[in-house]
């Protein structure tokens, strides 16, 4: 049984691709067979974040248009051979993705026996974002503790509840998860960043995970090694916890509180 | 919080401002999301007609669709201006 998961957010720059790459690696490390698809036609980037940009020969649109087979286009990860990437096309033709074409590729991936198909959505609510979420069984909505990101997430949650295949057939609903990234506990404590509880209350949804703002995220992207591979970093561990929860495990939240200050810092302020 | 913190200017708690603003706008957008697409046009056209007879404010018209006991209810409410204003 294959499960289709969309990673989406509405707003750009909140960490969708970073999160997709880490979740994909995390699932693969736990032994799951996983295919991850970059839906951002014209702005391919997941390949770069995952460190396989030089091995892209054929892409998603080539497969949809019959110019390559799915097996030719899937790029096997060098670290986990149960992880495959289908890169986005760099074409500027916005209509390159069709609902029928996407459905066909997803069905073929299901037949190949993948446990999970992860769809990395582009920003916005245009065609690419719509198609990335349309066939999903579950959604991971990436949100930053910041006003525009939270508002856009609510809009996306509304679309997930109405503009997806499950919503249209009415048989099931898309399971929704919130992934709070770029979280800074010190700033929350000072009162200049919304807290986990604030975001949960506004969106009416519990968080799947909270990823602290961390320098290791950029370092990971720089090297093409998603941060989840760095289990010494809090962000990497937080992503790994989120993946465990995605698989149904109960894992306590970590890195959500500011480190305790020493006596002198408390006395004189910090 | 240090004991000399009272000497520093106190910054307003911007997180609670953010939360309050979001709470209002998100509630408003959710209400609109579930409403039929024709509501904004209906509202605008009603306003045009009303303006022929009374000098109403653009935001004096509330158009709402709600569910009541199995059927949909279209609710219109118009706040007429004061005698002095009209």
């Amino acid at each position: 049984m294959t499960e289709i998961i969309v990673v989406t957010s509405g707003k750009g720059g909140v960490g969708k691709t970073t999160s997709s790459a880490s979740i994909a690696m995390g699932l693969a490390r736990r032994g799951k067979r996983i295919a991850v698809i970059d839906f951002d036609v014209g702005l391919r980037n997941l390949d770069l974040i995952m460190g396989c940009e030089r091995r892209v020969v054929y892409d998603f649109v080539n497969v949809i248009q019959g110019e390559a087979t799915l097996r030719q286009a899937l790029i096997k990860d060098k670290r986990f051979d149960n992880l495959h990437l289908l890169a986005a096309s760099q074409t500027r033709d916005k209509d390159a993705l069709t609902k029928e074409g996407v459905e066909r590729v997803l069905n073929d991936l299901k037949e190949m026996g993948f446990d999970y198909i992860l769809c990395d959505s582009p920003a916005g609510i245009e065609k690419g974002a719509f198609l990335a979420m349309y066939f999903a069984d579950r959604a991971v909505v990436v949100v930053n503790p910041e006003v525009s990101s939270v508002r856009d997430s609510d809009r996306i949650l509304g679309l997930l509840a109405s503009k997806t295949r499950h919503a249209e057939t009415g048989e099931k609903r898309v399971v929704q998860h919130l992934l709070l990234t770029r979280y800074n506990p010190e700033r929350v404590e000072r009162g200049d960043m919304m807290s986990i509880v604030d975001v949960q209350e506004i969106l009416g949804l519990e968080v799947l995970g909270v990823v602290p703002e961390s320098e290791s995220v950029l370092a990971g992207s720089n090297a093409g090694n998603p941060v989840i591979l760095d289990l010494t970093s809090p962000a990497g561990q937080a992503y790994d916890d989120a993946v465990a929860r995605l698989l149904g495990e109960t894992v306590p939240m970590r890195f959500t509180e500011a480190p305790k200050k020493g006596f002198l810092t408390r006395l004189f302020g910090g | 919080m240090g004991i000399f913190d009272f000497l520093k200017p106190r910054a307003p708690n911007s997180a609670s401002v953010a939360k309050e603003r979001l709470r209002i706008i998100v509630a408003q957008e959710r209400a609109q999301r579930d409403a039929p697409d024709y509501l904004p046009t209906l509202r605008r056209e009603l306003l045009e007609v009303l303006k022929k007879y009374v000098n109403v404010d653009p935001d004096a018209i509330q158009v709402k669709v709600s569910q009541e006991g199995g059927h949909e209810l279209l609710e219109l409410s118009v706040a007429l201006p004061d005698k002095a204003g009209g």
Side-chain angles (χ1 to χ4, degrees):
Chain A
M1 187 60 198
T2 312
E3 198 164 30
I4 302 175
I5 305 176
V6 58
V7 178
T8 183
S9 70
K11 191 178 182 298
V14 297
K16 272 185 304 296
T17 300
T18 310
S19 297
S20 295
S22 273
I23 293 170
M25 293 266 167
L27 286 169
R29 189 163 56 196
R30 284 160 191 269
K32 305 294 178 193
R33 289 206 68 202
I34 168 152
V36 51
I37 309 176
D38 187 349
F39 272 77
D40 205 346
V41 171
L43 295 168
R44 173 199 293 169
N45 271 319
L46 187 59
D47 54 334
L48 202 53
I49 301 299
M50 290 179 58
C52 53
E53 69 279 7
R54 297 183 51 173
R55 295 195 290 134
V56 180
V57 181
Y58 294 111
D59 58 54
F60 194 15
V61 171
N62 290 143
V63 178
I64 286 179
Q65 297 182 341
E67 294 153 359
T69 64
L70 191 51
R71 283 180 198 280
Q72 283 175 311
L74 283 174
I75 304 162
K76 192 201 273 189
D77 185 75
K78 291 232 158 125
R79 292 147 289 200
F80 303 105
D81 55 13
N82 46 343
L83 170 61
H84 291 75
L85 166 72
L86 188 54
S89 159
Q90 285 292 45
T91 174
R92 290 195 299 185
D93 178 13
K94 278 190 166 181
D95 296 321
L97 293 185
T98 59
K99 201 192 253 184
E100 297 70 32
V102 171
E103 185 172 26
R104 203 171 59 237
V105 172
L106 292 175
N107 284 339
D108 289 349
L109 287 169
K110 281 184 182 177
E111 269 177 34
M112 289 169 78
F114 284 102
D115 298 315
Y116 293 95
I117 302 170
L118 201 69
C119 303
D120 180 26
S121 172
I125 50 173
E126 300 294 315
K127 196 173 184 185
F130 164 73
L131 288 174
M133 72 165 71
Y134 186 75
F135 298 99
D137 300 305
R138 285 212 251 180
V140 175
V141 177
V142 183
V143 59
N144 292 167
E146 178 271 327
V147 285
S148 52
S149 173
V150 174
R151 181 198 205 170
D152 290 358
S153 297
D154 191 67
R155 183 125 171 72
I156 287 294
L157 292 170
L159 294 175
L160 285 166
S162 61
K163 305 276 185 226
T164 52
R165 184 171 55 174
H166 284 328
E168 284 174 6
T169 59
E171 286 166 25
K172 276 197 273 183
R173 58 185 293 277
V174 180
V175 180
Q176 303 173 340
H177 301 286
L178 273 187
L179 183 64
L180 187 56
T181 60
R182 300 240 170 88
Y183 194 70
N184 187 323
E186 284 89 358
R187 298 185 70 183
V188 171
E189 224 157 79
R190 284 201 300 269
D192 49 38
M193 181 181 271
M194 283 182 283
S195 68
I196 302 168
V197 175
D198 292 341
V199 176
Q200 288 184 155
E201 277 180 17
I202 294 161
L203 297 176
L205 209 56
E206 298 256 306
V207 294
L208 174 76
V210 178
V211 181
E213 198 170 40
S214 158
E215 286 173 13
S216 46
V217 175
L218 183 61
S221 297
N222 287 343
N225 291 321
V227 72
I228 198 166
L229 297 177
D230 178 7
L231 284 178
T232 61
S233 88
Q237 295 173 56
Y239 269 120
D240 197 56
D241 289 354
V243 169
R245 292 186 201 106
L246 201 60
L247 294 174
E249 291 174 36
T250 309
V251 183
M253 288 285 173
R254 294 190 279 176
F255 321 112
T256 54
E257 267 159 48
K260 292 278 172 284
K261 289 175 182 172
F263 170 72
L264 286 177
T265 325
R266 264 192 291 172
L267 186 60
F268 294 104
Chain B
M1 200 63 93
I3 54 169
F4 302 122
D5 277 1
F6 67 92
L7 294 173
K8 298 181 196 163
R10 224 181 126 169
N13 185 338
S14 68
S16 49
V17 177
K19 188 182 181 184
E20 202 41 46
R21 291 174 60 217
L22 274 170
R23 206 200 291 277
I24 293 164
I25 192 69
V26 163
Q28 191 184 326
E29 287 178 346
R30 279 182 192 166
Q32 282 168 6
R33 186 192 295 163
D34 304 326
D37 293 342
Y38 61 77
L39 276 199
T41 330
L42 174 67
R43 193 175 164 279
R44 206 160 45 237
E45 287 179 8
L46 280 171
L47 190 67
E48 292 303 309
V49 176
L50 275 164
K51 269 189 172 164
K52 290 186 190 169
Y53 304 95
V54 268
N55 186 19
V56 287
D57 239 28
D59 52 353
I61 301 185
Q62 298 292 329
V63 184
K64 243 172 43 185
V65 174
S66 51
Q67 297 280 341
E68 220 169 83
H71 42 238
E72 276 187 309
L73 193 71
L74 178 67
E75 219 179 298
L76 297 175
S77 89
V78 184
L80 292 176
D82 299 343
K83 284 265 160 54

